[in-house]
Amino acid sequence: MKIKLYIAYDGTKYCGWQVQKNAISVQQTLQDSIESVFGERYLLTGCSRTDSGVHAKRFCCSVSIADDVNIPAEKIPIALNHYLPDDVSVLEASYISDDFHPRYDAKYKEYEYLILNDTIKDPFLTNKVFHYPKKLDVDKMNMATKCFIGKHDFAAFMSSGSSVEDTVRTIKYFTVSEHENIVKINVAADGFLYNMVRILVGTLIDVSNGKIAIEDIPSIIEQKDRKKAGFTAPPQGLYLNKIVY
């Protein structure tokens, strides 16, 4: 039997989603909980590989368990949450067909990036937002987002160290909004490259500051040169917001 789980987590204390040898990951933490509930250590498959310090509001993963397990789906979150730390929570669970894959079956993913745009830091938002004190031009940033929508080769917006060869992705929507002193950036695509969202955010900030001109963005995309794009924004403001199947 295969179970689909939706989870939320604060990534501050974790090395990311994927199991690592010398650090604690979200995947390992959830596997520990599953082992405590079901009595075996099952393989857990995630929808994405979030990096160290990145958060998730609705991350999808799946686990195949023994056919003789008899726990109602609505009871599974309660059982797993009993063994999970406070910064990881199972939101819901359902039994699904064995051919479901949380990564390859996704139509698109949406990430959200939060910026505290204020001269004063907020201690209650530490590790939850990127504190950026210089005033951002949200209208200008929104104009820049239009250059990225659609199917493009985003090689210029990928950090080195990735083994991915196909760097073409399709951005479905890309928006910037402001709520008091919080600037919220939402971007959805059929897939994302290594650090792509954080580099897109850094590029928008550089557009706001006048370091990158909006009219130069198509050329930056075409040149596929990482050095031409903006800086890589820090991880703490980034959230995997939702997965659409």
Side-chain angles (χ1 to χ4, degrees), residues 133-167:
K134 186 176 180 179
K135 181 62 178 175
L136 292 170
D137 188 334
V138 172
D139 291 337
K140 197 173 180 181
M141 293 167 74
N142 254 319
M143 290 174 62
T145 63
K146 294 177 174 59
C147 300
F148 298 103
I149 295 173
K151 187 175 183 179
H152 303 284
D153 188 328
F154 286 98
F157 301 87
M158 178 180 71
S159 291
S160 61
S162 174
S163 60
V164 174
E165 294 183 2
D166 180 9
T167 51

Short mmCIF file of all heavy atoms in Angstrom, two decimals, residues 133-167:
data_model
loop_
_atom_site.label_atom_id
_atom_site.label_comp_id
_atom_site.label_asym_id
_atom_site.label_seq_id
_atom_site.Cartn_x
_atom_site.Cartn_y
_atom_site.Cartn_z
N PRO A 133 16.61 45.99 4.49
CA PRO A 133 16.21 47.32 4.99
C PRO A 133 15.97 48.38 3.93
O PRO A 133 15.21 49.32 4.17
CB PRO A 133 17.39 47.71 5.89
CG PRO A 133 18.56 46.95 5.34
CD PRO A 133 18.00 45.65 4.83
N LYS A 134 16.60 48.25 2.75
CA LYS A 134 16.43 49.28 1.71
C LYS A 134 15.07 49.14 1.03
O LYS A 134 14.65 48.04 0.70
CB LYS A 134 17.55 49.15 0.67
CG LYS A 134 17.55 50.27 -0.37
CD LYS A 134 18.73 50.14 -1.32
CE LYS A 134 18.72 51.25 -2.35
NZ LYS A 134 19.87 51.16 -3.27
N LYS A 135 14.38 50.26 0.82
CA LYS A 135 13.03 50.23 0.26
C LYS A 135 13.03 49.60 -1.13
O LYS A 135 13.80 49.96 -2.02
CB LYS A 135 12.47 51.66 0.17
CG LYS A 135 11.05 51.73 -0.38
CD LYS A 135 10.07 50.99 0.51
CE LYS A 135 8.65 51.11 -0.02
NZ LYS A 135 7.70 50.29 0.77
N LEU A 136 12.12 48.63 -1.31
CA LEU A 136 11.99 47.93 -2.59
C LEU A 136 10.90 48.56 -3.45
O LEU A 136 9.86 48.98 -2.94
CB LEU A 136 11.67 46.46 -2.36
CG LEU A 136 12.78 45.61 -1.73
CD1 LEU A 136 12.26 44.24 -1.33
CD2 LEU A 136 13.97 45.47 -2.69
N ASP A 137 11.14 48.60 -4.74
CA ASP A 137 10.18 49.13 -5.70
C ASP A 137 9.36 47.94 -6.23
O ASP A 137 9.75 47.27 -7.19
CB ASP A 137 10.91 49.83 -6.85
CG ASP A 137 9.97 50.56 -7.79
OD1 ASP A 137 8.79 50.16 -7.89
OD2 ASP A 137 10.42 51.51 -8.47
N VAL A 138 8.24 47.67 -5.59
CA VAL A 138 7.42 46.50 -5.91
C VAL A 138 6.85 46.59 -7.33
O VAL A 138 6.77 45.58 -8.04
CB VAL A 138 6.29 46.33 -4.87
CG1 VAL A 138 5.31 45.24 -5.29
CG2 VAL A 138 6.88 46.00 -3.51
N ASP A 139 6.46 47.79 -7.76
CA ASP A 139 5.92 47.95 -9.12
C ASP A 139 6.98 47.58 -10.16
O ASP A 139 6.68 46.89 -11.15
CB ASP A 139 5.45 49.39 -9.34
CG ASP A 139 4.20 49.72 -8.52
OD1 ASP A 139 3.48 48.77 -8.16
OD2 ASP A 139 3.98 50.91 -8.25
N LYS A 140 8.19 48.03 -9.94
CA LYS A 140 9.29 47.73 -10.86
C LYS A 140 9.60 46.24 -10.87
O LYS A 140 9.85 45.64 -11.93
CB LYS A 140 10.52 48.53 -10.43
CG LYS A 140 11.60 48.64 -11.49
CD LYS A 140 12.68 49.59 -10.98
CE LYS A 140 13.80 49.74 -12.00
NZ LYS A 140 14.88 50.65 -11.49
N MET A 141 9.56 45.62 -9.70
CA MET A 141 9.81 44.18 -9.59
C MET A 141 8.74 43.39 -10.32
O MET A 141 9.02 42.40 -10.99
CB MET A 141 9.88 43.77 -8.12
CG MET A 141 11.08 44.36 -7.37
SD MET A 141 10.97 44.19 -5.57
CE MET A 141 11.30 42.45 -5.36
N ASN A 142 7.50 43.83 -10.21
CA ASN A 142 6.40 43.16 -10.90
C ASN A 142 6.54 43.26 -12.41
O ASN A 142 6.22 42.33 -13.15
CB ASN A 142 5.06 43.74 -10.46
CG ASN A 142 4.30 42.82 -9.53
OD1 ASN A 142 4.27 41.61 -9.76
ND2 ASN A 142 3.70 43.37 -8.50
N MET A 143 7.02 44.40 -12.89
CA MET A 143 7.25 44.55 -14.33
C MET A 143 8.32 43.56 -14.80
O MET A 143 8.21 42.96 -15.86
CB MET A 143 7.69 45.98 -14.64
CG MET A 143 6.60 47.03 -14.49
SD MET A 143 7.22 48.72 -14.70
CE MET A 143 7.80 48.64 -16.39
N ALA A 144 9.33 43.35 -13.97
CA ALA A 144 10.42 42.45 -14.32
C ALA A 144 9.96 40.99 -14.37
O ALA A 144 10.46 40.21 -15.20
CB ALA A 144 11.57 42.60 -13.33
N THR A 145 9.02 40.62 -13.52
CA THR A 145 8.57 39.22 -13.48
C THR A 145 8.00 38.77 -14.82
O THR A 145 8.08 37.58 -15.17
CB THR A 145 7.51 38.98 -12.39
OG1 THR A 145 6.34 39.77 -12.68
CG2 THR A 145 8.04 39.33 -11.01
N LYS A 146 7.42 39.69 -15.57
CA LYS A 146 6.78 39.34 -16.85
C LYS A 146 7.80 38.81 -17.86
O LYS A 146 7.44 38.06 -18.78
CB LYS A 146 6.04 40.56 -17.41
CG LYS A 146 4.86 41.00 -16.55
CD LYS A 146 4.20 42.24 -17.10
CE LYS A 146 2.93 42.60 -16.34
NZ LYS A 146 3.17 42.83 -14.91
N CYS A 147 9.07 39.18 -17.69
CA CYS A 147 10.11 38.70 -18.61
C CYS A 147 10.39 37.21 -18.43
O CYS A 147 10.96 36.57 -19.33
CB CYS A 147 11.40 39.48 -18.38
SG CYS A 147 11.27 41.26 -18.64
N PHE A 148 10.02 36.67 -17.28
CA PHE A 148 10.35 35.28 -16.97
C PHE A 148 9.22 34.31 -17.27
O PHE A 148 9.44 33.09 -17.35
CB PHE A 148 10.73 35.15 -15.49
CG PHE A 148 11.94 35.94 -15.10
CD1 PHE A 148 11.82 37.14 -14.41
CD2 PHE A 148 13.21 35.49 -15.41
CE1 PHE A 148 12.94 37.88 -14.04
CE2 PHE A 148 14.34 36.21 -15.05
CZ PHE A 148 14.20 37.40 -14.37
N ILE A 149 8.00 34.81 -17.40
CA ILE A 149 6.84 33.93 -17.58
C ILE A 149 6.92 33.23 -18.94
O ILE A 149 7.26 33.84 -19.95
CB ILE A 149 5.54 34.73 -17.44
CG1 ILE A 149 5.41 35.26 -16.00
CG2 ILE A 149 4.33 33.87 -17.79
CD1 ILE A 149 4.25 36.21 -15.79
N GLY A 150 6.60 31.95 -18.92
CA GLY A 150 6.66 31.15 -20.15
C GLY A 150 7.80 30.16 -20.12
O GLY A 150 8.44 29.94 -19.08
N LYS A 151 8.08 29.56 -21.26
CA LYS A 151 9.11 28.52 -21.39
C LYS A 151 10.44 29.15 -21.79
O LYS A 151 10.54 29.78 -22.84
CB LYS A 151 8.68 27.48 -22.42
CG LYS A 151 9.58 26.27 -22.52
CD LYS A 151 8.99 25.25 -23.48
CE LYS A 151 9.84 23.99 -23.56
NZ LYS A 151 9.24 22.99 -24.50
N HIS A 152 11.47 28.96 -20.93
CA HIS A 152 12.79 29.52 -21.19
C HIS A 152 13.87 28.56 -20.70
O HIS A 152 13.61 27.68 -19.89
CB HIS A 152 12.98 30.86 -20.47
CG HIS A 152 11.97 31.90 -20.80
ND1 HIS A 152 11.98 32.61 -21.99
CD2 HIS A 152 10.89 32.36 -20.10
CE1 HIS A 152 10.97 33.47 -22.00
NE2 HIS A 152 10.29 33.33 -20.87
N ASP A 153 15.08 28.78 -21.19
CA ASP A 153 16.24 28.09 -20.64
C ASP A 153 16.76 28.94 -19.48
O ASP A 153 17.24 30.06 -19.69
CB ASP A 153 17.32 27.92 -21.71
CG ASP A 153 18.47 27.04 -21.25
OD1 ASP A 153 18.76 27.04 -20.04
OD2 ASP A 153 19.07 26.35 -22.09
N PHE A 154 16.65 28.42 -18.25
CA PHE A 154 16.99 29.20 -17.06
C PHE A 154 18.38 28.86 -16.52
O PHE A 154 18.63 28.95 -15.32
CB PHE A 154 15.94 28.98 -15.97
CG PHE A 154 14.64 29.69 -16.24
CD1 PHE A 154 13.57 29.01 -16.81
CD2 PHE A 154 14.48 31.03 -15.95
CE1 PHE A 154 12.37 29.65 -17.07
CE2 PHE A 154 13.30 31.69 -16.21
CZ PHE A 154 12.23 31.01 -16.77
N ALA A 155 19.30 28.49 -17.41
CA ALA A 155 20.66 28.14 -16.99
C ALA A 155 21.35 29.26 -16.23
O ALA A 155 22.15 29.02 -15.32
CB ALA A 155 21.50 27.75 -18.22
N ALA A 156 21.03 30.51 -16.57
CA ALA A 156 21.63 31.66 -15.88
C ALA A 156 21.13 31.80 -14.45
O ALA A 156 21.70 32.56 -13.66
CB ALA A 156 21.35 32.95 -16.66
N PHE A 157 20.09 31.06 -14.12
CA PHE A 157 19.46 31.17 -12.79
C PHE A 157 19.60 29.87 -12.00
O PHE A 157 18.74 29.53 -11.20
CB PHE A 157 17.99 31.58 -12.96
CG PHE A 157 17.84 32.89 -13.68
CD1 PHE A 157 17.79 32.93 -15.06
CD2 PHE A 157 17.80 34.08 -12.98
CE1 PHE A 157 17.68 34.14 -15.74
CE2 PHE A 157 17.69 35.30 -13.64
CZ PHE A 157 17.64 35.32 -15.03
N MET A 158 20.70 29.17 -12.24
CA MET A 158 21.01 27.93 -11.54
C MET A 158 22.39 28.02 -10.93
O MET A 158 23.35 28.39 -11.61
CB MET A 158 20.93 26.74 -12.50
CG MET A 158 21.27 25.40 -11.86
SD MET A 158 21.16 24.01 -13.02
CE MET A 158 22.60 24.35 -14.07
N SER A 159 22.52 27.66 -9.66
CA SER A 159 23.83 27.66 -9.01
C SER A 159 24.68 26.51 -9.52
O SER A 159 24.16 25.48 -9.96
CB SER A 159 23.67 27.54 -7.49
OG SER A 159 23.09 28.70 -6.96
N SER A 160 25.98 26.69 -9.45
CA SER A 160 26.89 25.63 -9.85
C SER A 160 26.77 24.46 -8.87
O SER A 160 26.35 24.63 -7.72
CB SER A 160 28.33 26.15 -9.87
OG SER A 160 28.71 26.59 -8.58
N GLY A 161 27.13 23.28 -9.32
CA GLY A 161 27.05 22.10 -8.47
C GLY A 161 25.90 21.19 -8.82
O GLY A 161 25.78 20.09 -8.27
N SER A 162 25.05 21.64 -9.74
CA SER A 162 23.92 20.81 -10.16
C SER A 162 24.33 19.94 -11.34
O SER A 162 25.06 20.38 -12.23
CB SER A 162 22.73 21.69 -10.55
OG SER A 162 21.68 20.91 -11.08
N SER A 163 23.83 18.70 -11.35
CA SER A 163 24.13 17.77 -12.44
C SER A 163 23.05 17.79 -13.52
O SER A 163 23.11 17.03 -14.49
CB SER A 163 24.29 16.35 -11.89
OG SER A 163 23.09 15.93 -11.25
N VAL A 164 22.05 18.66 -13.36
CA VAL A 164 20.95 18.74 -14.31
C VAL A 164 21.45 19.25 -15.66
O VAL A 164 22.16 20.26 -15.74
CB VAL A 164 19.84 19.68 -13.78
CG1 VAL A 164 18.76 19.89 -14.83
CG2 VAL A 164 19.22 19.09 -12.52
N GLU A 165 21.09 18.54 -16.72
CA GLU A 165 21.50 18.95 -18.07
C GLU A 165 20.41 19.73 -18.80
O GLU A 165 20.71 20.65 -19.57
CB GLU A 165 21.89 17.71 -18.87
CG GLU A 165 23.13 16.99 -18.33
CD GLU A 165 23.53 15.81 -19.18
OE1 GLU A 165 22.87 15.56 -20.20
OE2 GLU A 165 24.50 15.12 -18.82
N ASP A 166 19.16 19.37 -18.56
CA ASP A 166 18.04 20.08 -19.19
C ASP A 166 17.63 21.24 -18.30
O ASP A 166 17.03 21.04 -17.23
CB ASP A 166 16.86 19.13 -19.41
CG ASP A 166 15.67 19.81 -20.07
OD1 ASP A 166 15.83 20.97 -20.52
OD2 ASP A 166 14.59 19.20 -20.13
N THR A 167 17.96 22.44 -18.70
CA THR A 167 17.70 23.63 -17.86
C THR A 167 16.49 24.43 -18.35
O THR A 167 16.30 25.58 -17.93
CB THR A 167 18.95 24.52 -17.81
OG1 THR A 167 19.41 24.78 -19.13
CG2 THR A 167 20.06 23.84 -17.02
#
